[in-house]
Amino acid sequence: MNALQNDLLLKALRQEPVSRPPVWMMRQAGRYLPDYIKLRNKYDFFTRVQTPELACEITLQPVDQVGVDAAIIFSDILVIPQAMGLEVLMEEGKGPSLPQVVRGKAEVEALRTDGVEESLAYVMNALALSKKELNGRVPLIGFAGAPWTILCYMVEGKGSKTWDKAKQFLYTQPEVAHQLLQKITDITINYLKAQVVAGADTVQVFDSWAGALSPEDFSIFAQPYLLQIAKAIQPLAPVILFPKGSWYALDALQHSGASGIGIDWLLTPQLARSIVGNNITLQGNFDPAKLLAPPAQIKKWVKEMIDGFGTQAYIANLGHGITPNVPVDHAKAFVDAVKSYSA
Ligand code: CP3
């Protein structure tokens, strides 16, 4: 029961030979699938996340309906601020908001770091149930937000184009910022360890707003914490780091010990490969907006992307999450193009 029928993803992460690259899509669970939208109309966001049967059903939908080579657990990166004691609201169409923002030492010290496994037990239950229901068809991916990206939401209180308040916090109270980043790192390590125990075959760390930082700021406020997480989790399961926008960090991160690095479409596959060689697995980097083009065009672009990365030590994916307006047929065209790739 435990042996995987399709372990392309894990092979690619171990840099073992594969017959073709594995494919999955960031944010594949939810957003664009009609069956997901039905559940979204019936249950509010955190009910879907906190009810293992619902989370499991959503996790499996893209495996059954789009044919991806991996499932990613349906949850959110903002369960960590919740577990640390902050309220998180998710309003349909408006995105997340955190009414009590973190702006100083007192608020950082008040954040909880113990009892993650207890307060996030529903995630581990959803993972265990999804693992069981997948029945070895494809690997199961766990995930968490990176410390810098979580700090962004805690300080800003909502999404932002510039993250200027989060950056102001780094620049005006660097010691407190590091204290907060370390607290988030500690809880995230425990959380990811528990996810692996519960059934995650690999974990991805989403540093979605890394690209808001300059290379120097990234090296001070993001990278050290990504490295701590990679070092702690990699002995238990392969780690994929996804520092969106931070192409400049590829060289440094290839020595992080992580198995894989996700990249976006701001650099070519050829350039990314020339920086890291085949020593680390690359994941990406299809512009999700390109899924709105006609399927024949999508297939052509997918072939060019794989030609650029090469078929080995590579995971075909988008360069960021799939958007809600992508027709299911187009998502399928993307997946099918990878599956039928030949040089
Ligand atoms: O990847 C998956 O399919 C698993 C599910 C998943 C969700 N959020 C579900 C969700 C994952 C991996 C995330 C990660 C996440 N959440 C990130 C990192 C990835 C990225 O896209 O950069 C971030 C920054 C968040 C924070 C967040 N959660 C935002 C900004 C929003 C609102 C807008 C949106 O759709 O992304 C959410 C809500 C959310 N999380 C939804 C889903 C399916 C949409 C709300 C809904 O369907 O009710």
Side-chain angles (χ1 to χ4, degrees):
M1 195 208 101
N2 258 330
L4 284 167
Q5 290 140 41
N6 172 349
D7 63 350
L8 283 173
L9 178 80
L10 302 180
K11 281 202 170 115
L13 283 168
R14 293 191 297 252
Q15 292 98 42
E16 290 172 12
V18 287
S19 52
R20 61 159 176 91
V23 55
W24 68 283
M25 294 177 294
M26 285 188 277
R27 309 298 300 272
Q28 67 187 20
R31 284 192 154 179
Y32 64 104
L33 284 176
D35 283 342
Y36 172 74
I37 293 161
K38 278 187 214 149
L39 289 176
R40 192 181 64 190
N41 293 337
K42 238 166 113 185
Y43 307 96
D44 71 66
F45 184 72
F46 286 112
T47 302
R48 275 171 271 144
V49 166
Q50 291 167 6
T51 310
E53 290 73 20
L54 291 175
C56 170
E57 184 179 342
I58 299 168
T59 298
L60 267 61
Q61 282 172 356
V63 178
D64 294 330
Q65 299 177 18
V66 191
V68 285
D69 293 312
I72 179 162
I73 191 68
F74 182 75
S75 184
D76 199 83
I77 63 168
L78 298 174
V79 300
I80 283 290
Q82 276 179 330
M84 296 177 87
L86 297 177
E87 190 186 359
V88 179
L89 306 172
M90 195 66 78
E91 284 170 76
E92 223 60 74
K94 277 183 73 187
S97 67
L98 291 76
Q100 321 135 249
V101 289
V102 172
R103 293 284 162 84
K105 198 169 176 66
E107 289 119 353
V108 171
E109 281 176 352
L111 293 168
R112 286 201 306 265
T113 48
D114 51 346
V116 211
E117 285 89 341
E118 292 78 53
S119 48
L120 297 178
Y122 60 85
V123 179
M124 281 32 106
N125 293 338
L127 281 160
L129 186 61
S130 301
K131 184 78 182 158
K132 180 167 163 272
E133 294 296 320
L134 280 168
N135 196 21
R137 276 182 287 165
V138 292
L140 178 59
I141 306 171
F143 72 89
W148 156 247
T149 288
I150 297 297
L151 178 149
C152 281
Y153 286 101
M154 285 182 164
V155 173
E156 208 85 28
K158 56 183 182 342
S160 166
K161 282 207 163 71
T162 56
W163 300 106
D164 53 302
K165 293 186 191 71
K167 287 160 89 170
Q168 178 182 24
F169 184 63
L170 304 184
Y171 304 146
T172 57
Q173 303 176 74
E175 278 172 30
V176 185
H178 279 295
Q179 192 186 354
L180 175 56
L181 290 163
Q182 190 59 53
K183 273 193 145 179
I184 301 168
T185 302
D186 294 341
I187 191 172
T188 301
I189 288 173
N190 288 337
Y191 177 48
L192 291 174
K193 281 184 178 167
Q195 290 192 33
V196 173
V197 171
D201 296 294
T202 172
V203 298
Q204 173 154 320
V205 183
F206 285 92
D207 215 347
S208 302
W209 313 125
L213 297 172
S214 71
E216 189 189 7
D217 290 338
F218 180 88
S219 76
I220 297 169
F221 296 106
Q223 186 171 304
Y225 302 99
L226 289 172
L227 295 191
Q228 282 188 45
I229 295 170
K231 188 157 177 263
I233 306 302
Q234 184 67 37
L236 311 172
V239 175
I240 306 168
L241 301 175
F242 175 54
K244 187 177 180 290
S246 298
W247 53 272
Y248 49 76
L250 256 183
D251 189 31
L253 291 178
Q254 68 172 317
H255 307 296
S256 62
S259 290
I261 306 179
I263 60 168
D264 56 54
W265 57 93
L266 297 182
L267 74 168
T268 62
Q270 289 83 352
L271 176 60
R273 189 59 84 191
S274 74
I275 296 169
V276 304
N278 272 356
N279 298 325
I280 189 160
T281 299
L282 289 170
Q283 173 177 279
N285 72 341
F286 202 81
D287 179 349
K290 287 198 148 100
L291 293 178
L292 298 170
Q297 181 63 55
I298 293 173
K299 294 197 167 182
K300 194 171 157 277
W301 282 326
V302 167
K303 180 173 170 6
E304 288 168 12
M305 173 176 80
I306 302 175
D307 287 343
F309 281 107
T311 56
Q312 306 302 303
Y314 171 56
I315 300 161
N317 204 322
L318 308 175
H320 201 189
I322 188 168
T323 50
N325 53 348
V326 172
V328 178
D329 283 357
H330 293 219
K332 273 198 191 122
F334 174 78
V335 169
D336 289 343
V338 178
K339 289 183 163 179
S340 60
Y341 174 85
S342 67

